[in-house]
Amino acid sequence: MSDDLKLALTEIQKRALFKLAVDLVKADKQIHRDEVALLDRLQRTCGIDAGDLEFIHYISLQQAINCLKGLSERDKREVLAVLESVVGVDNDIDSRENMLLAAVRLTLEDFSHNWAMVVSASDIEAECSSEQIVYLERSEQSEASSVLNDKYDYLLLTKALGDVGLQLFYLPNVVGQLESQWGDRSAESVGIDLLRRSMEFIVPVGDRSRLADLSSTLAKMDSKTFFKVVCARFNMEMEAIPYNGFLMVKIGENYLLEDDGRLSKMVDFLCIDISTCVKQRILHFVKQLERTVDLIHYQGYYRLLYDYLSSEAKIVSSLVIDHRGDFRLADLENVRLCFESAPQAKSFYLLLLKYGRAGVSQQCFDRALEYLNDMDIDSDSFSVEEVKQQLMSSKNDWAKLIYNLVVIYEQLSTKDSGKSSFMNYISKIIQHRSALKNYVNTGFAEVHHLANAEQYYIKFDKTRKIYYVELPLSLVFVEQNNATTPLAEHNMWLKLIK
């Protein structure tokens, strides 16, 4: 597709064209990377910005086609050329794409636009088959009936439609088949009872009076009555289709945005007027469908993924400690977490991360604080290194806790561990642990796109009276020598004891 469309479209016609292009891409329930690139080019060519792009989700297929019907024949050919390039870009034309493109072509081309139209119906609850094409009529159509009731013409047309994957549902023949297969099988005339019983198994019975005289009901059923049945079940207005005798086939379905933000299911049908030129029009339609990769699927769980990605996506992120000691979320554009009392809060967090889900008890913290308060840090002989050696050789949990906190704070703070006042900061971390817990949790909570944020929080179990962090250690890394190293392999972490 050229970046120059070579035609002048109004803003609404550009949106209509882009709507058709997007529907064609989605028709086969999978998206090729080249299709995405082509849509990008078409969006730029049409000058559709992000705001305008949203409007295509408010336009039905019927509205989009009707919007383009007023173009000149030259401009329609250019539009169809663009849409054909959309379908052919992945070199794998699916039957659903082909059907939708054929419907657009029939409704826009000069030869057929007077006898083909697309109808979009909303809130349909009944099953709609895209593999069946049904004949319906508003009034008796002698020419259509003459062709469809002729054994050889009927065989020709059903064979042609069958070759492109469509089964013709012509009610008179369907009723005839039911009567011949399920009608009188013996002198007791039990055949119609067999049909009645089978219907009781597969559909809700409802009004039994109709089933009681099933043979008479079948005899009265014709294509005019069935037209009313279809309109009622498909939530269509009969006046929406101006043809007296026509074929109708489902060509796709979508969800439209309503003004209140609600999604509404929309089913699209192609209607072909065959009140005249019956064989010519059917065979022309069939001809449109006769066509002798890197793919992304667009159904099932793939659809769930795309719907998720199109909304405000959240993600579980790795936590990286950079060379400045800042905490960053690597999978969220490396956003920096902001903590009050940052060195103390981050040291407290890493301390609890060391103990994992087992956590640290209130009692252990209180005993550690007692030890630190009793320490004579004003002595001329006081040495943090000597204290670390004493703590490391102790078998007490509170002693190991203080040692680990000293090692972590040495790494994260700018304080001189050679000074006796260094131990005052260790005391403050333990003493103000409840406030530091809130500072950390607030920092994580302020990152709106972080999925499952609570697993990053510092928690306090009131039953066991422990502080703990349940974030897996495998999600935490350290920047080192222009690379990221798992925290579990970092020198500082390897110094910690349990």
Side-chain angles (χ1 to χ4, degrees):
M1 183 191 74
S2 169
D3 285 344
D4 180 11
L5 274 180
K6 298 178 183 177
L7 74 165
L9 300 178
T10 65
E11 293 303 313
I12 194 168
Q13 286 169 340
K14 290 177 182 177
R15 292 176 194 166
L17 170 58
F18 199 74
K19 157 74 176 177
L20 295 182
V22 170
D23 280 4
L24 282 167
V25 165
K26 295 193 303 181
D28 61 354
K29 306 300 182 185
Q30 54 189 9
I31 298 178
H32 190 282
R33 65 175 68 190
D34 290 341
E35 289 175 327
V36 175
L38 188 145
L39 287 178
D40 281 337
R41 278 204 317 279
L42 182 58
Q43 183 180 353
R44 289 194 302 271
T45 302
C46 289
I48 297 174
D49 59 25
D52 287 335
L53 185 60
E54 186 71 16
F55 282 111
I56 70 168
H57 301 297
Y58 291 86
I59 306 172
S60 71
L61 183 67
Q62 181 179 359
Q63 290 170 327
I65 290 175
N66 288 343
C67 182
L68 297 173
K69 277 190 171 182
L71 294 174
S72 67
E73 290 306 311
R74 185 190 69 82
D75 285 349
K76 286 179 185 177
R77 286 194 298 271
E78 181 72 18
V79 164
L80 289 171
V82 170
L83 298 178
E84 286 167 0
S85 67
V86 170
V87 171
V89 70
D90 61 356
N91 297 312
D92 181 29
I93 301 176
D94 181 86
S95 60
R96 290 163 291 193
E97 292 176 316
N98 201 21
M99 173 66 78
L100 181 53
L101 180 60
V104 175
R105 189 183 291 115
L106 285 175
T107 54
L108 292 184
E109 285 184 340
D110 187 41
F111 176 73
S112 52
H113 75 271
N114 287 327
W115 48 266
M117 67 177 296
V118 166
V119 174
S120 297
S122 61
D123 300 323
I124 295 180
E125 296 181 0
E127 179 183 356
C128 305
S129 173
S130 58
E131 298 175 353
Q132 295 176 354
I133 184 166
V134 61
Y135 174 73
L136 302 168
E137 59 186 17
R138 188 186 307 275
S139 58
E140 292 284 350
Q141 299 299 303
S142 58
E143 186 173 344
S145 298
S146 174
V147 172
L148 294 175
N149 290 331
D150 182 275
K151 181 168 62 174
Y152 296 104
D153 283 340
Y154 183 79
L155 181 63
L156 167 70
L157 296 177
T158 53
K159 171 69 168 58
L161 290 166
D163 287 344
V164 293
L166 293 174
Q167 176 190 15
L168 176 60
F169 186 98
Y170 179 52
L171 190 71
N173 282 4
V174 172
V175 171
Q177 289 169 0
L178 287 173
E179 290 175 337
S180 65
Q181 293 176 11
W182 299 83
D184 291 348
R185 297 291 181 88
S186 67
E188 291 78 22
S189 300
V190 297
I192 207 70
D193 289 330
L194 189 58
L195 174 59
R196 183 184 302 110
R197 287 292 292 144
S198 69
M199 289 179 63
E200 290 175 345
F201 290 135
I202 61 177
V203 293
V205 173
D207 184 0
R208 285 187 174 273
S209 63
R210 182 170 294 171
L211 277 184
D213 193 11
L214 190 56
S215 182
S216 175
T217 302
L218 277 174
K220 295 175 183 176
M221 176 63 73
D222 57 21
S223 295
K224 298 188 297 297
T225 305
F226 199 58
F227 179 30
K228 297 174 183 176
V229 172
V230 170
C231 285
R233 294 301 303 277
F234 286 2
N235 199 26
M236 289 180 178
E237 293 184 5
M238 294 180 64
E239 293 74 18
I241 305 172
Y243 309 140
N244 289 322
F246 60 98
L247 293 173
M248 186 171 79
V249 59
K250 175 186 170 184
I251 57 174
E253 61 183 50
N254 272 294
Y255 286 89
L256 292 192
L257 276 173
E258 303 291 349
D259 290 338
D260 58 1
R262 180 176 56 89
L263 281 176
S264 174
K265 184 178 179 181
M266 189 72 64
V267 180
D268 304 309
F269 298 91
L270 171 66
C271 299
I272 301 172
D273 180 6
I274 59 167
S275 57
T276 187
C277 305
V278 182
K279 287 188 285 185
Q280 180 190 26
R281 292 178 180 180
I282 293 177
L283 294 177
H284 182 76
F285 165 60
V286 168
K287 186 178 180 182
Q288 307 303 309
L289 298 172
E290 290 176 343
R291 291 182 178 268
T292 48
V293 195
D294 292 337
L295 297 177
I296 296 177
H297 294 283
Y298 189 69
Q299 59 184 344
Y301 292 106
Y302 295 95
R303 173 64 184 270
L304 292 179
L305 172 64
Y306 301 147
D307 288 346
Y308 169 75
L309 293 176
S310 69
S311 62
E312 186 176 293
K314 294 190 175 184
I315 189 170
V316 172
S317 175
S318 299
L319 178 63
V320 176
I321 305 169
D322 68 16
H323 65 281
R324 291 183 296 272
D326 288 331
F327 282 20
R328 296 186 178 275
L329 295 172
D331 301 292
L332 287 170
E333 298 181 355
N334 221 28
V335 63
R336 183 173 71 88
L337 291 158
C338 297
F339 302 133
E340 287 191 50
S341 301
Q344 292 91 340
K346 289 183 281 191
S347 298
F348 184 52
Y349 189 79
L350 290 184
L351 176 72
L352 293 178
L353 194 61
K354 173 65 179 177
Y355 292 88
R357 289 176 177 270
V360 179
S361 69
Q362 188 85 284
Q363 183 180 18
C364 184
F365 277 124
D366 290 343
R367 183 63 188 88
L369 191 58
E370 289 177 13
Y371 173 83
L372 291 168
N373 288 339
D374 292 340
M375 186 179 291
D376 184 10
I377 62 173
D378 294 326
S379 170
D380 292 338
S381 61
F382 182 84
S383 167
V384 173
E385 283 303 317
E386 289 182 6
V387 171
K388 285 169 62 178
Q389 291 299 322
Q390 294 171 9
L391 294 169
M392 189 166 53
S393 61
S394 174
K395 295 183 180 179
N396 293 316
D397 289 341
W398 56 264
K400 295 175 182 177
L401 174 79
I402 298 172
Y403 170 83
N404 287 339
L405 189 53
V406 169
V407 172
I408 292 170
Y409 196 65
E410 283 178 326
Q411 180 73 30
L412 292 180
S413 78
T414 58
K415 307 303 179 184
D416 186 355
S417 62
K419 294 183 178 180
S420 58
S421 60
F422 183 84
M423 297 305 295
N424 285 331
Y425 295 104
I426 303 302
S427 297
K428 288 178 180 178
I429 291 173
I430 296 175
Q431 181 181 354
H432 301 296
R433 57 189 179 272
S434 180
L436 295 177
K437 165 181 170 290
N438 292 334
Y439 295 158
V440 167
N441 293 352
T442 299
F444 280 109
E446 288 176 348
V447 182
H448 300 301
H449 296 282
L450 182 62
N452 198 13
E454 288 195 357
Q455 74 169 331
Y456 295 81
Y457 291 178
I458 294 175
K459 298 178 181 176
F460 180 72
D461 186 327
K462 294 181 180 179
T463 303
R464 296 187 294 159
K465 297 188 184 308
I466 63 165
Y467 289 87
Y468 68 100
V469 172
E470 58 186 3
L471 183 71
L473 189 59
S474 60
L475 282 177
V476 188
F477 297 82
V478 179
E479 259 187 13
Q480 190 174 18
N481 300 324
N482 297 319
T484 54
T485 303
L487 178 61
E489 299 175 12
H490 190 264
N491 291 334
M492 176 270 290
W493 199 257
L494 296 175
K495 292 177 183 178
L496 304 183
I497 57 176
K498 272 199 175 182

